Amino acid sequence: MNAILIIEQALNGLQLGVMLFLMAAGLTLVFGIMNLVNLAHGSLYMVGAYLATYFAQLTGSYLLGALLGLGGTLVVGMVVELIALRTLYERDHLDQVLATFGLILFFNELVAILWGRNAIYSNLPEYLTGHVELAANLFYPLYRLLIIGIGLLVAALLWYIVTQTRIGMLVRAGASNRTMVAALGINIRLLYTLVFGLGAALAGLAGLLSGPLFAVQSGMGEQILIQVFVVIVIGGIGSVRGAFAGAVIVGMVDTLGRAFLKPTLATIISPAAADSAGPALASMLIYLLMAAVLAFRPQGLFGGRSP
Amino acid sequence: MKRGTWVVVLLLLLLAAVPPLAAIFNEPFYLDLFRRIMIFAIAAASLNLILGYGGMVSFGHAAYLGIGGYAVGILSHYGIDNGVLQWLLAIGASALVACVIGAISIRTSGIYFIMITLAFTQMLYYLGVSIEEFGGDDGMRLTMKSQFGGLLDLNNATLFYYVVLAILALVALLIHRLVHSRFGMVIRAARSNEVRTHAIGFSPYGYRLVAFVISGAICGLAGALFANQTGFLTPDFMHWTRSGEIMFMVILGGIGTTAGPVLGAAVLLLLEDRLSALTAHWQIILGPFLILVVLFARRGLAGLFLREGRDG
């Protein structure tokens, strides 16, 4: 293990972290404000990846594809909110879980019908494929750096919107007392649709950014969704700050665990045992972390505070 | 007898009539399908105990199905085919895991509870995927079904069917008795009002945990049966969509009723069977159907037979 490898893996962890944050921010806002558990958030991630890849192939431009994909996911998100989710805000969490589970089945099958069951691949344009020399002998893929940059930028932007603008004030007010906000003459339904659209766009952004890294396929949303749940539970539901902290922690722990747990174990126990225990333990690590956090703070690290 | 009890007895009698009918019409496939339905009915009934009566929305019940299945598979892998041992291990291991997951999850409630139970099941799923010794992602074949000496031969499809039916009947009875006991009263009281339950001198945590463990143990037994049914087990036993399916069975059939899980399992699996014969893309129909049931049929199928707020 050398320093370069560790830095490289730490950057990978940060990259996974900001990706998780893009997902978690939308999910946690939607929960904090509408009190809605949206399992179909992962479907929006998938829709973003598919639309961006599709439009990129259609137009021949990666950038244009990304923009159209982002806009498309926003529209899909708002339509889903208007048709299916709006009626669920007053229902209990059980109903919300089941109905959005139904949405997942629908979307997974829909993309399978439209684009087939096999994974499709989105190619990066020439100008994004290179490596950057961050330090002597430390080459890091430009595209992953770009993801980290975009993620941090979005985090800063969200912080600004939520804490410094009028919309953000309404969002915070809506989270603490919906009825009162409505009584003060705010169009709460419009606010809901906007917040949901924002969350959908963020999920779509995460999806289209991940397209060139992973295979774009039906069901891709659920893999990340459950990790996002872990993020939100650790960070505290409804808290954007918590989502950021949780996302970076989970991204780091997962990536570093997968990279270094096996070699570290091999120095303690026999290499053969480490070979089988390492990967198993690494894949369980974030869930164990979640259990540990809950044992001490059942409301999450930032739970019970304003978003 | 109450009307709810009649519905359950009628359902069990109908299920008992399946093997002779399948034999008359020479359709052994239905024997297989209905045995599968009953196994899922047991799983759904176990979830109903904590979800319907205890108000604990566990989105990870497939975990115990998987543990029960792997208990049978792993013992069989090492050449131990004794069914009593296998099934006892399935029940014991599921109870133990449910105890650990429950002890952490029950400290929370609402949405946290849903997410945590889901996350723990996903953890076990990845554990199953990453252990190469037991087939990893590809799963492993069961060399032979659970053996019970000369007493029972599960290779006899009809006999296996009636074994499952008997277990289903016992589980239904057990849960019914449990829910109407003093213990069940506390569970139900904590569901409807936790503060008042505290006020009259009960601490719900322990009661909930015990219910959670019993529920996990029963589902583990269903997992052992399921491994024998398929003769093959993969981490997909624990896939989160399976947890969702079991949960949907409870809601579809009627939450908090004895007949509900049986009805729900039957209708969902028969529907899946019909739809998948119709088109490979049957989930595009099932998804919206699920949404419609949630939005418009709150009390489920059992709600059609039972009066509001009675029976159970």
Side-chain angles (χ1 to χ4, degrees):
Chain A
M1 257 186 274
N2 53 38
I4 286 182
L5 189 61
I6 293 179
I7 295 175
E8 212 172 74
Q9 292 298 336
L11 282 172
N12 281 345
L14 186 60
Q15 182 253 309
L16 176 62
V18 299
M19 198 81 102
L20 290 172
F21 170 70
L22 289 179
M23 291 285 290
L27 199 60
T28 209
L29 273 178
V30 166
F31 181 80
I33 294 150
M34 284 95 117
N35 198 21
L36 173 76
V37 188
N38 181 19
L39 291 187
H41 203 65
S43 296
L44 296 167
Y45 168 88
M46 177 180 70
V47 166
Y50 266 99
L51 286 181
T53 310
Y54 172 71
F55 283 126
Q57 280 166 1
L58 206 67
T59 59
S61 155
Y62 175 78
L63 209 60
L64 207 58
L67 283 177
L68 285 172
L70 196 60
T73 317
L74 182 81
V75 172
V76 171
M78 286 191 171
V79 169
V80 167
E81 199 265 352
L82 284 174
I83 295 177
L85 299 182
R86 180 157 275 197
T87 42
L88 287 171
Y89 294 152
E90 303 303 320
R91 297 296 193 83
D92 61 22
H93 292 152
L94 176 62
D95 287 358
Q96 297 173 349
V97 164
L98 277 172
T100 51
F101 176 58
L103 273 180
I104 291 179
L105 297 182
F106 176 78
F107 274 113
N108 280 347
E109 209 57 54
L110 187 67
V111 298
I113 291 174
L114 291 177
W115 286 285
R117 286 208 192 275
N118 292 330
I120 60 174
Y121 294 90
S122 85
N123 295 317
L124 276 177
E126 197 71 30
Y127 55 87
L128 287 178
T129 50
H131 285 67
V132 181
E133 189 170 8
L134 292 175
N137 289 326
L138 176 59
F139 291 94
Y140 198 72
L142 174 63
Y143 185 67
R144 284 180 185 263
L145 273 185
L146 183 75
I147 294 180
I148 295 176
I150 292 176
L152 293 179
L153 196 70
V154 169
L157 203 67
L158 265 184
W159 172 83
Y160 178 76
I161 292 176
V162 170
T163 59
Q164 307 292 321
T165 64
R166 186 177 159 77
I167 287 278
M169 190 179 70
L170 293 178
V171 165
R172 279 178 290 144
S176 53
N177 194 332
R178 281 185 278 178
T179 326
M180 188 56 85
V181 175
L184 291 172
I186 306 299
N187 186 344
I188 199 95
R189 294 200 135 197
L190 183 66
L191 183 69
Y192 283 179
T193 309
L194 280 179
V195 170
F196 194 86
L198 176 71
L202 288 177
L205 180 63
L208 69 91
L209 285 175
S210 73
L213 295 179
F214 313 113
V216 178
Q217 58 186 333
S218 172
M220 66 185 279
E222 283 73 67
Q223 268 176 330
I224 192 168
L225 179 79
I226 295 170
Q227 284 183 318
V228 171
F229 278 172
V230 173
V231 165
I232 292 184
V233 167
I234 288 178
I237 299 173
S239 157
V240 178
R241 254 188 310 173
F244 187 75
V248 174
I249 293 172
V250 168
M252 286 288 181
V253 167
D254 193 54
T255 310
L256 296 180
R258 280 175 206 280
F260 299 120
L261 201 59
K262 201 163 92 177
T264 312
L265 276 180
T267 61
I268 305 168
I269 55 178
S270 77
D275 255 1
S276 55
L281 196 59
S283 65
M284 291 166 65
L285 212 53
I286 59 170
Y287 304 102
L288 297 175
L289 176 72
M290 177 189 76
V293 168
L294 285 174
F296 296 105
R297 279 186 71 89
Q299 73 278 39
L301 295 177
F302 290 82
R305 305 194 203 160
S306 69
Chain B
M1 281 195 282
K2 285 183 188 168
R3 205 189 303 189
T5 319
W6 277 112
V7 175
V8 177
V9 170
L10 184 67
L11 276 174
L12 292 176
L13 286 175
L14 282 175
L15 283 170
V18 168
L21 287 174
I24 291 170
F25 293 104
N26 198 19
E27 293 267 16
F29 166 74
Y30 282 97
L31 194 62
D32 207 61
L33 178 64
F34 274 90
R35 196 167 54 214
R36 193 186 170 87
I37 286 173
M38 292 191 298
I39 291 171
F40 274 95
I42 295 170
S46 77
L47 177 61
N48 190 33
L49 171 64
I50 55 171
L51 174 65
Y53 300 105
M56 290 175 265
V57 185
S58 163
F59 199 173
H61 237 53
Y64 313 107
L65 211 57
I67 292 165
Y70 271 94
V72 172
I74 289 171
L75 282 188
S76 163
H77 182 72
Y78 292 117
I80 304 170
D81 290 311
N82 185 324
V84 178
L85 269 182
Q86 287 180 343
W87 292 16
L88 280 180
L89 180 69
I91 294 172
S94 306
L96 192 68
V97 173
C99 188
V100 174
I101 293 181
I104 296 170
S105 319
I106 295 170
R107 283 165 52 88
T108 67
S109 62
I111 172 67
Y112 278 95
F113 189 87
I114 298 174
M115 288 186 180
I116 291 159
T117 46
L118 174 62
F120 275 124
T121 304
Q122 200 66 8
M123 176 178 97
L124 292 170
Y125 172 78
Y126 284 123
L127 184 66
V129 169
S130 60
I131 298 183
E132 295 296 331
E133 174 76 10
F134 305 123
D137 211 2
D138 299 329
M140 62 176 169
R141 192 165 288 285
L142 215 58
T143 42
M144 63 169 86
K145 288 192 158 76
S146 302
Q147 300 295 310
F148 292 91
L151 207 62
L152 287 170
D153 181 12
L154 297 186
N155 285 316
N156 179 336
T158 312
L159 185 62
F160 185 18
Y161 183 96
Y162 282 113
V163 169
V164 177
L165 179 63
I167 292 176
L168 174 63
L170 281 176
V171 164
L173 182 68
L174 173 78
I175 291 179
H176 183 82
R177 293 292 291 270
L178 207 58
V179 166
H180 291 86
S181 68
R182 178 177 174 280
F183 172 81
M185 295 284 216
V186 179
I187 295 288
R188 282 149 62 196
R191 171 174 165 250
S192 54
N193 195 325
E194 188 163 348
V195 178
R196 283 191 195 166
T197 315
H198 271 293
I200 55 172
F202 292 100
S203 175
Y205 181 85
Y207 287 89
R208 282 188 172 142
L209 185 57
V210 171
F212 197 89
V213 170
I214 294 173
S215 169
I218 295 173
C219 198
L221 179 60
L225 294 172
F226 193 42
N228 276 294
Q229 159 91 3
T230 56
F232 190 80
L233 76 163
T234 72
D236 271 352
F237 269 47
M238 297 180 272
H239 199 257
W240 73 280
T241 50
R242 186 148 267 151
S243 301
E245 247 174 50
I246 300 173
M247 199 193 237
F248 183 45
M249 287 170 186
V250 175
I251 309 299
L252 178 64
I255 188 168
T257 61
T258 312
V262 185
L263 278 172
V267 172
L268 184 64
L269 290 179
L270 285 172
L271 192 69
E272 279 184 10
D273 176 60
R274 288 295 90 203
L275 285 179
S276 58
L278 214 63
T279 160
H281 298 295
W282 52 277
Q283 292 203 335
I284 200 132
I285 305 169
L286 189 70
F289 170 70
L290 208 162
I291 300 173
L292 289 176
V293 167
V294 171
L295 290 182
F296 300 111
R298 306 275 343 252
R299 281 174 51 75
L301 293 166
L304 303 174
F305 304 104
L306 307 174
R307 281 154 297 176
E308 189 82 29
R310 303 263 324 256
D311 306 317

